[in-house]
Amino acid sequence: MKHIYKKYIEHFNTNLLQCMVLGRGHNGVVYLLPDGKVIKVCFSEESCRGEYYILNKVNGNKYFPKVYGMNGNYMIRDYVGGICLRDYVKEYGFDRELALKVVSLLEEFDKLKFTKRDIRCKDIFVQPDGTLKVIDPKKCYSKERDFPRHLSKGFEKLGILDYFMEVVKEKRPKLYRRWFRKIREYIREISEEDD
Ligand SMILES: Nc1ncnc2c1ncn2[C@@H]1O[C@H](COP(=O)(O)OP(=O)(O)O)[C@@H](O)[C@H]1O
Ligand SMILES: [Mg+2]
């Protein structure tokens, strides 16, 4: 961990009280630091190590916030602006350009040799410049998942899955063939559960 972050570690609690909470999830709370970076304080050291391992491995990749270090149950990483894909789609809709950006993100998971080639809608952020970033990567190198299962569930809920798959079919026929049956099966399964 770099020297400049020592002050946050030494006077951790008092400093954090003055920081804005950016959000909280099942694993921790994320605060905005005065220098514009963020600190994620995890509820367990294990989940912190797991997430840090992934972010450190992909450090410098344009789709992920840079990490600067971790200590115990917390890590410092870059702030990601914009709004999550789910809220973005609800507000501004979904088009071909955005569909292709999501495809490129999933192709990046292949390049990074993730064993889990999946992501939740709420963990993709659309930044003000239109680029995408993943905020909360989990189990990318431990879980086996060869198609975007969570993502397709989210897209189905938003009513954009069929359109997304049309774009995939036209632009990436190979990917389409890899995903199509698995996605169809999975969507059928979850819709039967809902009945
Ligand atoms: N790098 C970041 N920049 C801006 N906001 C963030 C960042 N990381 C997380 N957040 C916000 O904090 C919330 C919780 O963080 P997240 O990493 O998803 O925690 P958890 O692992 O508990 O789900 C996110 O939903 C998001 O709103
Ligand atoms: Mg989360």
Side-chain angles (χ1 to χ4, degrees), residues 50-65:
E51 191 172 335
Y52 186 77
Y53 173 79
I54 298 165
L55 285 173
N56 197 37
K57 220 169 144 116
V58 304
N59 224 357
N61 186 287
K62 64 176 179 177
Y63 288 111
F64 296 84

Side-chain angles (χ1 to χ4, degrees), residues 116-179:
K116 185 183 121 188
R117 284 111 189 242
D118 192 12
I119 177 88
R120 288 173 197 269
C121 273
K122 68 173 162 85
D123 289 336
I124 302 175
F125 268 49
V126 184
Q127 298 190 281
D129 68 358
T131 58
L132 304 184
K133 260 201 168 69
V134 171
I135 54 150
D136 184 18
K138 284 193 181 82
K139 298 185 178 158
C140 305
Y141 290 110
S142 50
K143 199 177 186 121
E144 289 287 335
R145 170 77 34 85
D146 61 358
F147 75 104
R149 187 168 119 134
H150 274 126
L151 190 72
S152 60
K153 181 179 182 177
F155 278 6
E156 175 73 0
K157 274 192 184 165
L158 289 164
I160 59 171
L161 181 61
D162 291 346
Y163 178 74
F164 176 70
M165 288 307 283
E166 263 174 42
V167 177
V168 177
K169 188 176 187 177
E170 187 202 323
K171 290 289 193 181
R172 298 288 193 281
K174 264 193 187 163
L175 266 190
Y176 181 83
R177 284 195 295 276
R178 240 165 69 191
W179 291 346

Side-chain angles (χ1 to χ4, degrees), residues 21-32 36-43 47 51 55 64-66 75 77-82 84 86 120 122-123 125 133-138:
V21 174
L22 289 168
R24 62 184 78 224
H26 288 300
N27 294 297
V29 186
V30 176
Y31 302 86
L32 182 64
K37 293 188 173 59
V38 313
I39 184 166
K40 178 168 181 176
V41 183
C42 297
F43 301 131
S47 73
E51 191 172 335
L55 285 173
F64 296 84
K66 274 200 188 100
M75 74 179 90
R77 59 192 195 190
D78 269 339
Y79 172 76
V80 176
C84 78
R86 191 179 54 189
R120 288 173 197 269
K122 68 173 162 85
D123 289 336
F125 268 49
K133 260 201 168 69
V134 171
I135 54 150
D136 184 18
K138 284 193 181 82

